[in-house]
Amino acid sequence: MTALAHERPEAMSEVRTESENDSDFDEVLWQAWKAMELPEGYRAEIIEGAIEVSPTARRSHGLITNRVRRALDKFLDGGEYACHQDVNVIHKRKAWIPDAFVAPEDTDPWGDEDDLGVRAEAVYLIVEVVSPGKRNQDRDRVRKLREYARAGIPIYVIIDDFDAQGSVTLCTGPRPDKADWEDIHRVYYGTEVTIPEGPAKGFVIGEAITGPKRA
């Protein structure tokens, strides 16, 4: 895979250490999140000490997400792993709803204590498709990038329609203590990205998923 220089946001260097007060606050957020009743078309996640509510995706976002899901389903067919969508991933009183993730097909052994989602340690790959708007873009590019590293998710892929000519970023080697990754490689649409390890090893993200190279 050809890698382009990737400029990490300054916020990438921020590392939160968990104190007793943090733990208490996380529990308060967790209970508030569990009690939420959202109108149809909205979802809520707990990201870096805040509950974030967002609407369901736009058409173009859903188009790419569905391409990823269908391609991963086909790639993983016949094995013990599957592509999951619209399911909570739970880690230490945090809750995320990735656009797609790879975990065992049978998630019964991996449910959290409240059976609200799949525990993060069962997740091998997460794919997020960036939504329009600065806060949405920062969520996937920065806040979730740190959160998934903290959770030890082996691979995080960001498909970003709003990064210049469109880009795919592959993050590998999570460093939970640093909220960072050993390797972050970004390529523009038109260059294939191959998953290097795990159940989806060899899966290719290319123009069939992102659309063609942009001028």
Side-chain angles (χ1 to χ4, degrees):
M1 181 187 70
T2 303
L4 300 178
H6 180 91
E7 296 182 2
R8 301 185 181 209
E10 291 182 8
M12 276 294 299
S13 62
E14 298 173 6
V15 179
R16 267 187 40 199
T17 56
E18 187 171 315
S19 66
E20 186 175 343
N21 288 339
D22 289 332
S23 181
D24 291 343
F25 182 66
D26 286 346
E27 182 63 27
V28 170
L29 278 181
W30 177 254
Q31 297 301 330
W33 176 78
K34 288 200 300 181
M36 292 183 73
E37 295 185 10
L38 296 174
E40 185 176 354
Y42 287 84
R43 64 183 191 173
E45 301 173 281
I46 304 175
I47 305 172
E48 293 200 323
I51 296 176
E52 297 195 17
V53 177
S54 57
T56 52
R58 293 188 180 188
R59 182 201 61 80
S60 58
H61 179 284
L63 183 65
I64 295 175
T65 299
N66 285 331
R67 287 173 182 164
V68 169
R69 179 185 55 78
R70 289 194 300 269
L72 275 169
D73 277 340
K74 183 177 180 180
F75 185 86
L76 297 166
D77 187 41
E80 58 183 297
Y81 298 94
C83 178
H84 301 267
Q85 199 175 18
D86 295 326
V87 178
N88 296 315
V89 172
I90 306 295
H91 178 70
K92 293 184 177 179
R93 295 302 194 247
K94 304 295 191 300
W96 312 303
I97 309 175
D99 289 317
F101 66 91
V102 173
E105 184 172 15
D106 179 9
T107 57
D108 283 349
W110 298 103
D112 71 293
E113 62 191 45
D114 296 305
D115 198 29
L116 295 173
V118 177
R119 300 198 309 275
E121 56 261 40
V123 176
Y124 290 87
L125 163 70
I126 284 179
V127 180
E128 295 283 11
V129 180
V130 177
S131 297
K134 185 178 187 307
R135 181 167 180 79
N136 293 329
Q137 292 164 12
D138 286 347
R139 180 179 63 237
D140 293 333
R141 295 171 181 170
V142 181
R143 297 192 300 281
K144 279 192 170 182
L145 185 146
R146 291 191 297 239
E147 287 282 63
Y148 294 153
R150 290 187 183 105
I153 302 298
I155 300 174
Y156 176 38
V157 174
I158 306 167
I159 301 176
D160 194 341
D161 247 9
F162 305 95
D163 178 20
Q165 296 100 323
S167 69
V168 179
T169 301
L170 174 68
C171 307
T172 57
R175 302 169 65 192
D177 57 329
K178 302 291 187 182
D180 200 354
W181 301 81
E182 293 288 348
D183 296 292
I184 298 179
H185 294 306
R186 183 186 64 167
V187 301
Y188 290 132
Y189 287 2
T191 300
E192 293 184 343
V193 172
T194 303
I195 302 303
E197 61 183 77
K201 181 178 179 179
F203 178 74
V204 175
I205 300 173
E207 292 186 16
I209 291 174
T210 65
K213 179 179 179 179
R214 296 178 181 173

